[in-house]
Amino acid sequence: FKPSRRMISSALQTSKSVIHIWDDDEGNGQFTISGSLDWAFCTPIVADNEGGWCLYVSGQGSENSGVFIDEDVLKGDLRFVELVAQFIGSIRHVRMLEEQKTQLSSFFSPRIMDSLLDTSSTSLEPAQQEISVLFCDVRGFSRMSELLKDDLFQLLATVKNALGLMANGIVESDGAIADFQGDAALGFWGWPVGLEDGAVPAALAALEIQHTFAHSEGNELLEGFSVGLGIAHGNAIAGQIGTAQQAKIGVFGPVVNQGARLESMTKQYGVSICIDEKTAEFVKGYLGKMQARVRRLARVRPKGMDTPITVNELLNGANDSDVSDQQIENFEAALDLVIEGKWTEAIAALKACPEEGPVTFLLERMEEENNTPPADWDGAFSLANK
């Protein structure tokens, strides 16, 4: 039995059944078949995102064979086969949706999943849109690795626990997990469901993750760990990214690099969360001071970058932070003096502030320039390290 490829192709291209009796060819050669078969019909199996499947039925019986079968005789069988094809297509569609849901549930929160299923938009195709990215890095991993070098399974358990807490913080705020890199995690918002309030979900997730690590008393698996977080917001491509052989949910664009830089800067400033200007604007616009606050830290030019950026610190609400509103106001006034090039006044103002990482950072950067603004001072320090 060798089915007619042209008949199959015709059925699949038109998404309609094709019926043919070779005794009626009259030499036109529309469809060809080998063997002693006299007739055939082909029915496509139609399902969303499905192609290339059909039911092909062929048999003997023609006017020449003495058993006359015409198109009217075959139409009854064809209607039955079309029902079978429709049933198979429905089953395949349901299974496809179940597989997609299982795949998506590995990356998205239940609320995002429900939204996707409600709109029948379960495609993982990449899209370009406004994205918030959050980099989370566990601090203390090197020391823990040294302590547990003879018990790697215990080390793995501690890292898995820390990564799990970061992942939960991202997913519970309706973010997606893009990647795990050693003891770090990357989450993002804005795809597949667009952002209604910008970088606010990322900011709330960062605060929750920071709070969890800061209040980990009694959790042996978190003992000795802290966390650094960086948030950036901007245009990016998100979706299923990779090669034909390997692909994963990911995000691509300059905003990803900026988020990574901001996370790294938390070490230089001695703070937990660094955010960019766009994220700071969303936090100020959508969240009250009892939920979250922002403090400008410095104007810097990251290593390898020509354009200066303003780095901000994301802080807890006024009732849940060691940094007071007055402390923020005094520090930002001193920072303005630094940016304006009034370094003598800035140094005096900074020394009047409580001793902390951001104060030390500015004093050290000015000391590197002998406490005198360079001739080409534009308000931004050029960072030597990432």
Side-chain angles (χ1 to χ4, degrees):
F1 168 66
K2 293 183 179 180
S4 168
R5 292 185 179 183
R6 280 191 284 180
M7 182 180 291
I8 293 172
S9 177
S10 176
L12 294 176
Q13 288 177 6
T14 62
S15 297
K16 295 180 179 179
S17 297
V18 177
I19 188 168
H20 190 72
I21 299 174
W22 272 269
D23 275 355
D24 297 337
D25 264 345
E26 296 181 356
N28 62 25
Q30 181 182 7
F31 303 115
T32 57
I33 194 167
S34 62
S36 59
L37 300 173
D38 302 307
W39 57 266
F41 56 77
C42 185
T43 298
I45 297 175
V46 180
D48 289 350
N49 299 324
E50 202 57 79
W53 292 91
C54 63
L55 293 179
Y56 189 99
V57 180
S58 185
Q60 296 177 326
S62 68
E63 186 175 7
N64 293 338
S65 65
V67 181
F68 181 69
I69 293 181
D70 60 13
E71 190 169 319
D72 290 335
V73 174
L74 294 176
K75 282 182 178 179
D77 291 334
L78 176 60
R79 282 194 292 270
F80 172 74
V81 172
E82 287 176 335
L83 288 174
V84 174
Q86 184 179 359
F87 178 67
I88 294 174
S90 298
I91 292 177
R92 293 181 64 83
H93 179 65
V94 170
R95 287 183 177 175
M96 178 192 67
L97 291 178
E98 290 175 346
E99 290 172 1
Q100 287 184 332
K101 184 175 181 180
T102 300
Q103 183 182 14
L104 292 171
S105 64
S106 302
F107 303 100
F108 305 119
S109 69
R111 190 183 76 84
I112 297 297
M113 284 294 304
D114 290 342
S115 177
L116 286 171
L117 295 176
D118 285 344
T119 59
S120 299
S121 176
T122 52
S123 172
L124 299 180
E125 287 297 314
Q128 182 173 335
Q129 52 203 70
E130 289 293 303
I131 299 289
S132 298
V133 298
L134 169 62
F135 273 87
C136 315
D137 184 44
V138 175
R139 304 287 159 76
F141 176 74
S142 297
R143 185 180 64 84
M144 190 67 67
S145 298
E146 186 175 355
L147 291 174
L148 297 176
K149 62 183 178 181
D150 296 325
D151 191 352
L152 295 182
F153 281 106
Q154 178 65 14
L155 177 62
L156 178 61
T158 60
V159 173
K160 285 176 63 177
N161 183 64
L163 290 174
L165 290 173
M166 292 190 293
N168 287 340
I170 293 169
V171 173
E172 288 176 3
S173 294
D174 295 326
I177 304 296
D179 200 7
F180 291 110
Q181 299 174 347
D183 56 347
L186 167 60
F188 67 93
W189 289 256
W191 178 95
V193 177
L195 295 169
E196 296 179 358
D197 45 7
V200 169
L204 293 176
L207 288 171
E208 179 61 29
I209 293 169
Q210 189 273 334
H211 178 82
T212 301
F213 276 83
H215 299 81
S216 60
E217 300 86 355
N219 187 337
E220 295 181 359
L221 292 177
L222 284 183
E223 187 175 349
F225 282 142
S226 60
V227 66
L229 305 108
I231 304 175
H233 181 88
N235 198 264
I237 294 175
Q240 186 166 304
I241 298 173
T243 66
Q245 291 74 32
Q246 292 184 326
K248 63 179 181 179
I249 298 297
V251 59
F252 174 80
V255 68
V256 180
N257 180 56
Q258 184 158 310
R261 294 290 186 92
L262 288 165
E263 181 276 314
S264 180
M265 288 181 194
T266 59
K267 300 176 184 177
Q268 300 182 53
Y269 297 114
V271 300
S272 295
I273 310 172
C274 283
I275 61 177
D276 66 355
E277 293 175 85
K278 289 185 178 180
T279 302
E281 291 172 4
F282 280 114
V283 172
K284 292 176 183 178
Y286 284 87
L287 299 177
K289 286 189 175 182
M290 293 298 104
Q291 292 178 282
R293 295 170 300 156
V294 171
R295 169 168 62 167
R296 287 183 295 119
L297 293 178
R299 185 84 173 152
V300 299
R301 189 175 290 102
K303 183 178 180 180
M305 297 175 63
D306 297 327
T307 304
I309 63 171
T310 298
V311 181
N312 301 266
E313 179 186 11
L314 179 63
L315 292 160
N316 285 311
N319 293 336
D320 191 26
S321 174
D322 296 331
V323 180
S324 67
D325 288 342
Q326 186 62 53
Q327 190 173 337
I328 294 174
E329 183 178 338
N330 293 342
F331 177 84
E332 290 189 340
L335 174 61
D336 288 335
L337 294 172
V338 174
I339 294 173
E340 293 167 9
K342 302 176 181 179
W343 284 15
T344 300
E345 298 173 52
I347 292 170
L350 287 168
K351 289 184 176 180
C353 294
E355 186 175 344
E356 57 171 345
V359 172
T360 302
F361 174 85
L362 292 179
L363 290 173
E364 289 180 349
R365 297 293 81 72
M366 287 188 288
E367 187 176 354
E368 290 172 357
E369 302 290 343
N370 297 317
N371 293 325
T372 302
D376 59 349
W377 176 247
D378 61 357
F381 293 105
S382 295
L383 301 181
N385 301 313
K386 289 186 178 181

